[in-house]
Amino acid sequence: MSEHHEKKDRSRPPQSQGWIAEYVDEHGLLEAARKVREAGYTKTDAFTPYPVHGIDHALGIRPTVLPFIVLVGGFTGLGTALLMQYWMNAVDYPYLISGKPLGSWPAFIPVTFELTVLFSAITTFLGSILLNRLPKYSNPVFTSPRFDRATDDRFFLYVDSSDRYFNKNSVQNLLSSTNPESLEEVMEDASSTVIPRAVWLSVLLLLVIASIPMAIILKMRNSNSPSPRWHVFFDMDFQPKKKPQQISTLFADGRAMRSPVLGTVARGQWEGNDAFYLGYDPAKLAAHAGRDRSRFVGASLAAAMQDPVGAPALGQPPTPDEEKSPESAIPAGSNVPAKSETSDEMDESSNAAEKPSDEPSPGDEATDGKVMVEETQTANDAASPSSGEPANPSQDGAALASAVPTLPFVTNIPMEIDAQVMELGKKKFEIYCSVCHGVGGDGDGLVARRAEEIAQSYWLPPTSLHADAVRSQPVGQVFYTISNGKGKMAGYGAVLTPKERWAVVLYVKALQRSRNASESDVPLEMQSKLSQSK
Amino acid sequence: MASIATSFEIDNTIEIPGRRAPLVTGNQTLGSVTEMVSSVAERPQPKIWYIAFAISFSMMVMFFSLIAYLIYMGVGIWGNMSPVFWAWPIVNFVFWVGIAHAGTLISAVLFLFRQNWRTSINRAAEAMTIFAVVCAGIFPGIHVGRAWLAFWLTPYPSLNLWMWPQFRSPLLWDVFAVSTYASVSLMFWYMGMIPDLATYRDRSKTKLRRLIYGILCLGWTGSTRHWMRYEKAYTILAALATPLVLSVHTVVSFDFAVSQLPGWHTTIFPPYFVAGAIFSGFAMVITLLVPVRKIYGLEHLITMRHLENMNKIILVTGSLVGLAYATEFFMAWYSFNGFESYTFINRAFGPYWWAYWIMVSCNVICPQLFWFKKLRTSPVLMVIISIFVNIGMWFERFVITVTSLSRDFLPSSWGYFRPTIFDMLMLAGSFGLFMTLFLLFCRFLPTIAMAEVKGVMSAHAHAEAHLAGDHGQHHH
């Protein structure tokens, strides 16, 4: 209706916009509307307190396109929800939970449904308001005080002056013939359209004030400051507790960090000071006290923090053995010369598996059934970067890495072994180790394969147990690695008992040997079969 | 004819064959409807409004003070303790969300079913929906512990977290369901109010009132073109809100049902929760509207027939809820699952037996009184019963949440939940917030959908004319 009118000119008197007739009931309105339409007028409208049944037909108003707009809105919501969930949970930040697929469509249904409804509803709401060109606060019909009753109990019919057939007199005559309660000419809204200065100034002021906190936050987030962070909520940043290097007034020595009370062992940390629990010989370690003792203690402590169970007891820090060359680190009791050729080592050890060679008496096996697995020990293989040199003391990890290979690892499994131990080792290996290292020890466990498949950038592939560097390790070192972990591998000292750990060591050694066996390793009765099959 | 009309005037709950009961009584005209509804907000409020407002407002202030104290001290001020971490805050959340459902059900579902009697009560019920959702939204928001980080629930590109929410979690579905529900209910409510706000604008005596209502009603004129799009939009919103209202409490029930806990892990929860929600929502509508119609003299618009219809729905949904309780027990026995059957025996006869039997007597036995017409048409009695129903429905959520959590699979982790004074004051405070908002609504906004009542009066007049064989001159 009045949208079609040219811009108002303040200098001229208000222009006529059309004629409006008032009726007391809907029947009067309906009949008048039909008459007006039959007369050919199309720029007409009715104003009623409630939607009058049939008035659209009487005025010839076409149905609205709103449902189609809503359909588009609904599909937008549907697509947005599905794409959003898939992208967020499967692409940008994949959630791996219980091996469920990344795109779990059934689980995405509820949010998809809700967003479809939400988008449709917003489209309906805004669409209907915008299609009605609302909000519109200046309307010529509002100039008549009578029109207030359009939202109460009166019905109005309006003919706009922009209609093709509009003629002031004929419209007036036509409308009077419909017995209206009143008939008025609608005049242009002559009131000023300028927003008063006080209003827009105060709105502007409010906006500026409202944006100050946001501006402060933005500035603080995007700039550096030497002063500490300003805490609105303390979260758990400030707690009444002491951190390791802080000063305590409670104790005479002023240290917040306390060492264990003399002569006590923390629960679960008791382990005999024995190669069976440690993987190396503590007595030898003590004998090799060197000048880098302090550094080594630091490294041991770091190891103890990492895995307190497998680490040496805190009360008895092991003495360092840093400067020893690989050869000199060989336990004194070993009668096997150090060798650098791994294949030879394997031959040696394979022989050793058959007969005890560590102990000079060959009757041991027969007498007490004790089988000692012997390993040729090269404490540092060629690949180890820190073999003889002191490690960088600034890095605990590096210090530990250099400290570990110099420990006097045992070369024999310090317990009785038999087929049952081997079975135990196999069982535990397959439970705990094979997930990463693979059933065959090749470093191709399911976890490793999965990580490779989804190309995790931070994934460090597990070591193959058949690598030379691993094969050359003495049993004590393998035991030490199982207990305390290495690199990204966690220690299993907490889940495997020492006996189980040694059993796993035995199984690992067996696995390694199985890849490097010669024909002579095959038992005699099987050798004939082997030659037959050739 | 006249005698029949008169009898409808006296009692519009009677059934007269071949006649439709009038939706409003007292020989109303369009103007008298406007007058009656507008006077609620235009006339000075009765003394009881001020008394009620003073009480509710103080309770609301207490509620927000307690929330501030909670944020300062931490959730430890509540009785939540291992193993019952989902205690009253979640009970209150489900309770309030349930209350919210009646509003949408009345305005959307009954609209689609062409139940014209809804027009007198839908506005107040929708307002109640919004206010109940406000109360509901607060509880999980403060239950998360660090309430100031509750916005982490929304999927926004965070520069601190570098991660997205987990969309397979029912708790996240809940965030979407409840916030969608709040938004759609708000739009539906506001949309429905636009024509009535225009009425308020046009009746304004002061400039300020005219300005505020004028801005709120967006310059509504009642143009036929506007009405057409408006009606279409209203129908679409109703069609959208109908599945939405069913989905919301379904998703709320998923919070429980998707877990593995005996007593929670059951497929009956979605329909059972929805029935309970409608049940409690209608009870709350009765609790509020019976005093409102009395205080503001709206008996001719909110007639006895309206109240009776709502009581019938309470009877139906109450029986459905009872059936659900029975089915749960049947499944516990029939499934032969030891944990499940233990849980249910423990519910009824364990340490929380009192809560269980409060729930059963309030929810199952109480509404059965509505089988008698005398009882369901007595305003005093229906308010009392509806209050009992609300108590019962609160206890239903308590029974589900607390009894299941306090005794799970491991007897070593069993416990007994004890609320603290803060639990109780915050529940009371949420009622203060709800009532404050409702009283302000009565004071400033159209409590009854005038335009819709007028439209229905016109439609009723048409239908009556047709039924009477009087195809009058206005037939077209």
Side-chain angles (χ1 to χ4, degrees):
Chain A
M1 27 172 284
S2 58
E3 292 102 62
H4 319 292
H5 291 282
E6 315 88 59
K7 269 201 155 169
K8 286 170 217 164
D9 181 358
R10 300 266 140 248
S11 56
R12 60 182 171 76
Q15 301 290 300
S16 166
Q17 300 280 308
W19 282 83
I20 196 160
E22 179 186 354
Y23 303 90
V24 288
D25 61 9
E26 55 175 90
H27 315 301
L29 172 75
L30 280 167
E31 262 173 48
R34 267 193 292 274
K35 266 192 187 170
V36 166
R37 192 183 179 204
E38 275 158 20
Y41 295 102
T42 50
K43 300 250 186 251
T44 52
D45 204 351
F47 300 93
T48 54
Y50 58 88
V52 172
H53 182 67
I55 186 76
D56 47 336
H57 189 71
L59 284 175
I61 299 171
R62 275 175 302 176
T64 166
V65 295
L66 184 67
F68 297 98
I69 301 175
V70 175
L71 188 70
V72 173
F75 274 114
T76 311
L78 182 88
T80 308
L82 288 176
L83 284 177
M84 175 184 78
Q85 293 179 86
Y86 186 78
W87 182 75
M88 287 177 182
N89 274 188
V91 179
D92 195 48
Y93 194 88
Y95 277 97
L96 267 176
I97 289 160
S98 312
K100 295 198 175 78
L102 291 172
S104 337
W105 299 108
F108 292 166
I109 288 174
V111 171
T112 309
F113 172 79
E114 301 298 339
L115 283 193
T116 308
V117 168
L118 183 66
F119 274 55
S120 311
I122 292 174
T123 319
T124 312
F125 178 69
L126 292 182
S128 67
I129 285 173
L130 294 179
L131 283 177
N132 281 346
R133 311 217 177 159
L134 295 175
K136 181 174 187 294
Y137 295 115
S138 169
N139 201 322
V141 289
F142 289 150
T143 52
S144 161
R146 282 186 164 273
F147 190 73
D148 278 354
R149 290 183 76 171
T151 56
D152 179 4
D153 57 352
R154 288 298 158 90
F155 303 80
F156 292 84
L157 185 63
Y158 174 80
V159 182
D160 197 278
S161 61
S162 68
D163 194 282
R164 250 191 318 167
Y165 304 112
F166 186 82
N167 174 296
K168 197 173 168 176
N169 291 330
S170 55
V171 168
Q172 195 179 1
N173 289 338
L174 176 67
L175 286 177
S176 348
S177 72
T178 59
N179 301 320
E181 180 78 2
S182 74
L183 182 59
E184 278 181 6
E185 190 171 14
V186 175
M187 302 309 280
E188 184 179 23
D189 185 359
S191 58
S192 167
T193 56
V194 179
I195 300 170
R197 178 182 294 210
V199 172
W200 67 258
L201 270 183
S202 50
V203 168
L204 194 71
L205 191 72
L206 271 177
L207 282 178
V208 169
I209 293 172
S211 61
I212 289 175
M214 198 45 86
I216 293 175
I217 290 171
L218 271 177
K219 193 196 166 288
M220 281 182 154
R221 291 204 83 124
N222 294 299
S223 61
N224 296 318
S225 162
S227 47
R229 195 156 70 93
W230 188 55
H231 283 76
V232 181
F233 294 105
F234 289 146
D235 289 334
M236 295 174 92
D237 293 353
F238 305 102
Q239 296 175 33
K241 68 167 190 189
K242 290 292 180 188
K243 288 177 181 172
Q245 300 301 327
Q246 287 176 342
I247 296 167
S248 163
T249 51
L250 273 179
F251 302 102
D253 62 2
R255 286 171 54 179
M257 192 164 80
R258 312 307 302 168
S259 37
V261 178
L262 215 62
T264 61
V265 175
R267 178 180 285 266
Q269 292 203 353
W270 168 252
E271 286 180 351
N273 192 18
D274 185 311
F276 180 69
Y277 297 100
L278 300 171
Y280 57 84
D281 191 338
K284 271 176 209 157
L285 189 64
H288 286 296
R291 58 164 201 241
D292 282 328
R293 178 192 168 95
S294 57
R295 186 159 61 78
F296 185 74
V297 170
S300 310
L301 278 176
M305 304 282 222
Q306 232 179 329
D307 188 342
V309 178
L314 276 176
Q316 307 154 319
T319 38
D321 194 13
E322 234 67 1
E323 291 301 302
K324 300 285 165 190
S325 68
E327 280 73 26
S328 66
I330 301 167
S334 172
N335 57 0
V336 180
K339 294 196 178 173
S340 52
E341 287 285 318
T342 19
S343 55
D344 287 350
E345 290 162 31
M346 289 315 293
D347 287 346
E348 280 290 343
S349 59
S350 54
N351 291 336
E354 302 296 317
K355 59 178 175 58
S357 62
D358 189 37
E359 300 299 319
S361 159
D364 270 355
E365 190 184 1
T367 49
D368 56 15
K370 188 179 182 187
V371 179
M372 301 297 279
V373 174
E374 186 212 324
E375 281 289 330
T376 313
Q377 201 247 22
T378 54
N380 285 308
D381 54 82
S384 177
S386 54
S387 48
E389 296 128 33
N392 179 3
S394 66
Q395 290 177 331
D396 275 359
L400 183 64
S402 75
V404 169
T406 56
L407 289 170
F409 290 119
V410 296
T411 52
N412 303 314
I413 292 180
M415 61 181 234
E416 290 175 34
I417 55 173
D418 49 24
Q420 274 187 339
V421 175
M422 186 66 93
E423 278 299 317
L424 176 67
K426 180 175 191 289
K427 189 173 147 196
K428 294 294 170 185
F429 179 87
E430 280 167 4
I431 291 172
Y432 292 103
C433 316
S434 70
V435 285
C436 281
H437 287 291
V439 179
D442 295 291
D444 60 346
L446 285 174
V447 170
R449 272 192 269 163
R450 175 74 178 148
E452 237 158 79
E453 191 182 299
I454 61 172
Q456 294 258 35
S457 57
Y458 47 81
W459 176 253
L460 191 70
T463 313
S464 164
L465 301 179
H466 304 295
D468 289 348
V470 182
R471 272 177 48 213
S472 61
Q473 289 175 359
V475 287
Q477 188 174 357
V478 178
F479 179 86
Y480 190 85
T481 306
I482 292 172
S483 307
N484 303 314
K486 188 173 186 184
K488 280 216 159 183
M489 169 181 158
Y492 285 79
V495 287
L496 293 171
T497 64
K499 187 190 170 193
E500 287 167 344
R501 275 175 265 162
W502 283 116
V504 172
V505 171
L506 179 70
Y507 185 67
V508 167
K509 284 295 166 192
L511 272 182
Q512 289 173 343
R513 195 174 145 192
S514 69
R515 299 289 173 90
N516 292 279
S518 64
E519 224 166 292
S520 60
D521 287 334
V522 183
L524 272 174
E525 65 269 24
M526 301 303 282
Q527 270 182 17
S528 54
K529 270 192 185 173
L530 200 64
S531 47
Q532 277 168 17
S533 66
K534 262 186 189 172
Chain B
M1 201 72 182
S3 65
I4 291 172
T6 315
S7 47
F8 266 139
E9 281 309 316
I10 293 163
D11 176 11
N12 71 336
T13 64
I14 53 170
E15 301 293 341
I16 302 171
R19 293 290 310 278
R20 286 190 188 196
L23 295 160
V24 291
T25 52
N27 293 320
Q28 301 299 328
T29 63
L30 300 177
S32 70
V33 170
T34 313
E35 188 61 41
M36 223 187 305
V37 177
S38 306
S39 68
V40 172
E42 285 167 358
R43 273 195 220 141
Q45 294 298 311
K47 202 176 272 167
I48 186 150
W49 187 91
Y50 288 98
I51 297 169
F53 187 76
I55 297 171
S56 318
F57 190 76
S58 346
M59 280 163 72
M60 185 187 80
V61 170
M62 175 188 76
F63 186 44
F64 285 115
S65 317
L66 285 173
I67 290 175
Y69 183 66
L70 176 96
I71 289 172
Y72 175 73
M73 283 299 284
V75 288
I77 64 168
W78 283 330
N80 303 18
M81 197 77 78
S82 176
V84 185
F85 292 113
W86 270 22
W88 281 32
I90 300 302
V91 173
N92 297 344
F93 160 69
V94 182
F95 172 73
W96 281 116
V97 172
I99 298 272
H101 279 61
T104 321
L105 191 98
I106 291 172
S107 45
V109 181
L110 297 188
F111 176 80
L112 293 185
F113 286 138
R114 298 274 180 268
Q115 294 296 307
N116 286 339
W117 59 275
R118 67 181 264 289
T119 53
S120 298
I121 52 169
N122 71 335
R123 175 67 44 71
E126 282 170 44
M128 206 190 72
T129 293
I130 312 280
F131 307 148
V133 172
V134 169
C135 294
I138 287 176
F139 281 102
I142 55 178
H143 183 248
V144 294
R146 293 200 284 170
W148 52 96
L149 295 178
F151 63 91
W152 280 2
L153 291 164
T154 53
Y156 75 106
S158 163
L159 295 179
N160 293 343
L161 297 172
W162 288 111
M163 63 193 295
W164 298 107
Q166 156 70 302
F167 282 100
R168 300 176 193 87
S169 161
L171 298 181
L172 191 70
W173 303 345
D174 214 13
V175 173
F176 276 84
V178 174
S179 51
T180 299
Y181 188 48
S183 318
V184 173
S185 306
L186 196 64
M187 286 189 280
F188 202 29
W189 182 53
Y190 178 63
M191 179 117 191
M193 253 188 323
I194 290 175
D196 293 344
L197 288 169
T199 307
Y200 271 29
R201 171 200 63 196
D202 291 340
R203 288 174 58 91
S204 297
K205 300 282 188 293
T206 65
K207 238 184 158 178
L208 182 70
R209 257 183 104 93
R210 186 173 266 272
L211 178 74
I212 292 172
Y213 286 121
I215 290 173
L216 283 178
C217 76
L218 307 174
W220 180 261
T221 54
S223 152
T224 298
R225 285 182 179 77
H226 290 186
W227 270 123
M228 280 188 58
R229 297 197 188 95
Y230 174 91
E231 279 201 293
K232 186 62 90 182
Y234 199 83
T235 312
I236 295 172
L237 275 183
L240 290 169
T242 299
L244 178 67
V245 69
L246 299 181
S247 88
V248 174
H249 228 55
T250 300
V251 169
V252 170
S253 79
F254 283 165
D255 291 348
F256 299 89
V258 176
S259 80
Q260 304 292 316
L261 197 68
W264 284 9
H265 186 65
T266 152
T267 48
I268 199 183
F269 263 21
Y272 162 22
F273 268 51
V274 171
I278 296 163
F279 180 53
S280 67
F282 270 88
M284 190 56 108
V285 176
I286 289 281
T287 314
L288 292 181
L289 280 191
V290 171
V292 162
R293 81 194 262 274
K294 178 87 190 152
I295 292 164
Y296 292 113
L298 297 173
E299 281 101 335
H300 286 305
L301 292 182
I302 305 171
T303 64
M304 188 49 76
R305 196 176 178 90
H306 290 101
L307 302 179
E308 196 200 3
N309 283 348
M310 284 194 276
N311 289 339
K312 284 177 182 167
I313 291 180
I314 289 178
L315 176 58
V316 171
T317 48
S319 308
L320 278 176
V321 166
L323 179 67
Y325 297 160
T327 311
E328 276 192 317
F329 266 86
F330 173 75
M331 287 313 295
W333 165 75
Y334 190 69
S335 68
F336 236 72
N337 181 329
F339 295 106
E340 194 79 8
S341 45
Y342 172 76
T343 301
F344 283 94
I345 289 168
N346 180 54
R347 266 187 194 173
F349 306 107
Y352 296 102
W353 61 271
W354 48 274
Y356 185 83
W357 292 108
I358 289 175
M359 169 186 101
V360 168
S361 41
C362 289
N363 289 354
V364 184
I365 299 166
C366 218
Q368 300 305 321
L369 295 174
F370 284 150
W371 282 107
F372 305 99
K373 187 173 175 181
K374 257 221 174 77
L375 302 180
R376 70 171 180 258
T377 52
S378 151
V380 179
L381 214 64
M382 70 175 83
V383 169
I384 292 171
I385 291 177
S386 71
I387 289 173
F388 272 118
V389 166
N390 273 312
I391 293 172
M393 282 310 291
W394 189 89
F395 271 97
E396 181 197 296
R397 278 67 177 249
F398 176 85
V399 165
I400 291 172
T401 309
V402 175
T403 62
S404 306
L405 273 179
S406 67
R407 293 215 168 169
D408 62 1
F409 298 101
L410 263 185
S412 62
S413 65
W414 286 359
Y416 187 82
F417 173 78
R418 275 188 186 80
T420 63
I421 185 78
F422 295 103
D423 281 305
M424 299 172 193
L425 289 179
M426 283 176 107
L427 174 59
S430 67
F431 274 95
L433 170 64
F434 178 77
M435 283 309 297
T436 305
L437 291 170
F438 191 79
L439 289 166
L440 287 175
F441 161 73
C442 292
R443 172 78 181 75
F444 291 110
L445 294 173
T447 36
I448 289 178
M450 289 178 271
E452 287 194 43
V453 171
K454 289 172 193 168
V456 167
M457 280 164 63
S458 148
H460 183 78
H462 277 278
E464 277 289 275
H466 281 277
L467 280 173
D470 168 24
H471 294 249
Q473 77 281 8
H474 55 265
H475 185 64
H476 32 264

